[in-house]
């Protein structure tokens, strides 16, 4: 009997500092376990997204700080290949989100060490040296979904969508059912949005 199962590749764009992208990434990690889906992990940047916008002072400061982790992930991808993106994101995100550590220089140093990447990659946190490729990756996500959404962005079979924004991250078959539904509605011609007011923040446990 011939196995006709084919694996779907889904692209996932994230900013390491976004807690909602982190929640969705945990869901996508579950989806890989229960559906024939392989995720390709890509960077996008809230700092790029918010350039030139009139932001509250506190949020503007957070956008300045948000450059550091995403620049380091992008530099790691540039110099060490696509396969390091997810492990480094996991190491950064675990510290930033459930760990609650917002000392980004320390987080970056610890995360690089955990995944066995050179510590000198940390220098890219404060330089725009590789921003051209970061912006290009970011723009690929925006080209799929438009400029009025944020992170995360998921794309499958040429269709991109923002989100889903969900907490806690579904596991097991519940993760698979959400995937099935998200792909179904996103692939419906003319479909744009389902939304309701968030009543709780990210649940990291």
């Amino acid at each position: 009997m011939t196995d006709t199962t084919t694996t779907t590749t889904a692209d996932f764009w994230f900013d390491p500092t976004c807690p909602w992208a982190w929640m969705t990434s945990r869901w996508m990690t579950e989806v890989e376990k229960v559906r024939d889906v392989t995720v390709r992990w890509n960077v996008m940047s809230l700092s790029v997204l918010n350039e030139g916008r009139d932001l509250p002072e506190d949020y503007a400061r957070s956008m300045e700080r948000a450059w550091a982790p995403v620049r380091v992930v992008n530099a790691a991808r540039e110099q060490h290949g696509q396969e390091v993106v997810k492990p480094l994101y996991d190491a950064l995100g675990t510290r930033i989100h459930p760990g609650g550590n917002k000392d980004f220089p320390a987080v970056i140093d610890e995360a690089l060490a955990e995944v066995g990447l050179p510590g000198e990659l940390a220098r890219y946190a404060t330089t725009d040296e590789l921003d051209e490729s970061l912006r290009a990756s970011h723009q690929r996500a925006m080209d799929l979904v438009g400029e009025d959404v944020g992170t995360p962005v998921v794309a499958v079979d040429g269709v991109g969508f923002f989100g889903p924004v969900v907490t806690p991250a579904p596991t097991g078959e519940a993760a698979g059912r959400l995937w099935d539904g998200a792909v179904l509605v996103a692939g419906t011609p003319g479909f744009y949005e389902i939304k309701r007011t968030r009543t709780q923040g990210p649940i990291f446990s």
Side-chain angles (χ1 to χ4, degrees):
M1 182 175 179
T2 302
D3 184 0
T4 59
T5 300
T6 57
T7 299
T8 298
T9 298
D11 280 288
F12 184 95
W13 281 267
F14 65 91
D15 183 307
T17 67
C18 176
W20 293 107
W22 177 253
M23 297 305 305
T24 309
S25 75
R26 301 309 90 185
W27 164 66
M28 284 300 302
T29 301
E30 286 288 313
V31 170
E32 287 188 298
K33 300 175 185 176
V34 296
R35 294 294 185 268
D36 292 315
V37 174
T38 298
V39 181
R40 183 165 49 211
W41 303 87
N42 307 278
V43 290
M44 63 185 298
S45 170
L46 289 171
S47 302
V48 172
L49 184 69
N50 285 287
E51 280 182 324
R53 296 183 179 180
D54 185 15
L55 303 173
E57 186 175 343
D58 286 351
Y59 192 65
R61 282 198 297 268
S62 73
M63 289 301 94
E64 281 300 313
R65 297 181 65 248
W67 281 107
V70 73
R71 279 173 164 164
V72 171
V73 176
N74 185 57
R77 181 191 60 80
E78 287 270 289
Q79 297 183 15
H80 299 275
Q82 180 68 34
E83 64 273 12
V84 306
V85 173
K86 177 60 159 45
L88 183 55
Y89 178 34
D90 288 346
L92 290 165
T94 298
R95 288 167 171 80
I96 294 169
H97 301 301
N101 189 349
K102 300 304 189 284
D103 181 355
F104 290 164
V107 164
I108 289 167
D109 287 344
E110 292 173 8
L112 289 171
E114 178 183 320
V115 299
L117 287 167
E120 56 261 30
L121 284 170
R123 79 172 185 85
Y124 290 97
T126 55
T127 176
D128 62 4
E129 187 175 332
L130 297 179
D131 279 5
E132 183 177 354
S133 61
L134 170 58
R135 291 175 183 276
S137 180
H138 175 92
Q139 191 58 47
R140 285 194 294 273
M142 295 295 97
D143 288 344
L144 288 166
V145 296
E147 299 290 337
D148 59 345
V149 300
T151 179
V153 169
V154 177
V156 61
D157 295 332
V159 176
F161 53 91
F162 165 68
V165 176
V166 59
T167 190
T171 59
E173 184 56 21
R177 289 195 301 271
L178 178 56
W179 171 254
D180 298 339
V183 171
L184 175 63
V185 297
T188 300
F191 175 84
Y192 293 106
E193 186 172 8
I194 290 177
K195 191 171 184 178
R196 58 184 172 189
T197 301
R198 299 177 201 171
T199 58
Q200 61 184 7
I203 299 171
F204 298 124
S205 60

